Amino acid sequence: MPFFELNDVHTYYGQIHALKGISVKVEEGEVVTLIGANGAGKTTTLKTISGLLRPRQGTIIFDTHRLDQLPAHKIVAMGVSHVPEGRQIFPRLTVLENLEMGAYLLNNAAEIQQNLDHVFQLFPRLKERVYQPGGTLSGGEQQMLAIGRGLMLRPRILLLDEPSMGLAPVLVEAIFNIIRELNQQGITILLVEQNAHMALQVAHRGYVLQTGRIILQDSAKALQANEMVRKAYLGEE
């Protein structure tokens, strides 16, 4: 059985059928990416996994446990961490307070400090701004803070939603280097990203979503060479 699996998942917004029977597998230690145009269902997939939306049909299995009927806080406690689109940090809280919010399920001060040290090692800039309000950080720093907050529980799988959105090219490169480093440290990652070129460079495998359905799945290398993917998502003629 795969480490993580969505099987025939259908999710709705009211009467709108957003996910139309998608199936995705992620093995432990992999980076798997979901690519597709706006409205394809990428963000909806991550929200369904993390319990912010509940599927009407299908199953979500994580390390033999079913997630699809659990509330969001129990899914987080099982080691599933969601870094949402648009960062969604707490702008009036300091960097430290934002990170501590990510550790709200932990009661061990030593463990929280250890996790803080890990985040500051990955993102030295956050340590320099530890008492600065989150809302005064640059866009790139806010993205680092959002990822850092998601790491405070030492997740077993990290759901990353559009981590490069709105960032300058040099910061995009930095964020994807961090994704590589996190994976090398043993974190399994499910990555949603409109920058398909960068996503396929860091991923092992990928799925292409179109209007709530998976239309293609393959290794990242094969997707990079696929003519349809190159034309539709990599900007090549």
Side-chain angles (χ1 to χ4, degrees), residues 5-237:
E5 181 175 24
L6 284 79
N7 186 34
D8 192 29
V9 168
H10 294 254
T11 299
Y12 289 73
Y13 291 99
Q15 298 303 312
I16 298 171
H17 196 175
L19 297 183
K20 302 168 183 173
I22 71 164
S23 297
V24 172
K25 294 181 181 179
V26 183
E27 299 294 348
E28 191 166 12
E30 277 192 313
V31 178
V32 172
T33 188
L34 307 179
I35 62 174
N38 274 335
K42 306 184 303 295
T43 291
T44 302
T45 300
L46 297 193
K47 287 183 174 180
T48 302
I49 292 168
S50 63
L52 300 177
L53 296 170
R54 183 157 290 184
R56 289 194 194 173
Q57 184 181 326
T59 58
I60 303 172
I61 308 292
F62 173 50
D63 196 19
T64 74
H65 301 285
R66 278 191 68 170
L67 302 185
D68 46 277
Q69 299 300 317
L70 294 179
H73 68 281
K74 290 192 175 180
I75 293 173
V76 172
M78 292 178 71
V80 180
S81 186
H82 185 177
V83 180
E85 180 182 15
R87 298 147 201 163
Q88 297 185 31
I89 62 161
F90 300 97
R92 294 186 180 181
L93 299 185
T94 66
V95 166
L96 178 60
E97 288 166 340
N98 268 275
L99 294 174
E100 288 174 340
M101 288 294 286
Y104 75 101
L105 288 175
L106 300 180
N107 295 315
N108 185 316
E111 187 178 1
I112 292 171
Q113 185 58 53
Q114 185 179 17
N115 293 353
L116 274 172
D117 291 342
H118 176 238
V119 169
F120 289 146
Q121 184 180 2
L122 282 169
F123 301 111
R125 206 175 303 182
L126 294 182
K127 189 170 186 179
E128 295 168 9
R129 290 157 173 72
V130 66
Y131 298 117
Q132 192 171 321
T136 65
L137 301 179
S138 70
E141 290 164 349
Q142 288 187 19
Q143 187 60 67
M144 294 173 189
L145 180 55
I147 295 173
R149 182 181 60 191
L151 294 172
M152 283 298 294
L153 287 175
R154 291 289 180 119
R156 299 181 65 203
I157 185 166
L158 188 64
L159 313 179
L160 286 176
D161 195 352
E162 302 285 8
S164 77
M165 183 167 51
L167 300 184
V170 65
L171 289 173
V172 171
E173 191 73 42
I175 291 296
F176 276 92
N177 285 337
I178 289 294
I179 292 171
R180 286 190 186 92
E181 186 173 347
L182 291 173
N183 183 240
Q184 288 167 3
Q185 292 176 5
I187 297 177
T188 305
I189 297 171
L190 181 58
L191 170 67
V192 159
E193 180 57 62
Q194 275 206 303
N195 188 335
H197 178 71
M198 293 295 291
L200 291 172
Q201 285 188 359
V202 300
H204 298 94
R205 294 185 301 108
Y207 293 81
V208 180
L209 270 72
Q210 191 175 89
T211 58
R213 291 186 172 91
I214 289 167
I215 60 167
L216 190 61
Q217 57 177 297
D218 213 326
S219 69
K221 190 171 288 187
L223 289 175
Q224 284 176 303
N226 181 282
E227 186 176 356
M228 184 276 285
V229 173
R230 288 164 70 115
K231 287 182 178 178
Y233 303 108
L234 300 181
E236 299 180 16
E237 296 297 328

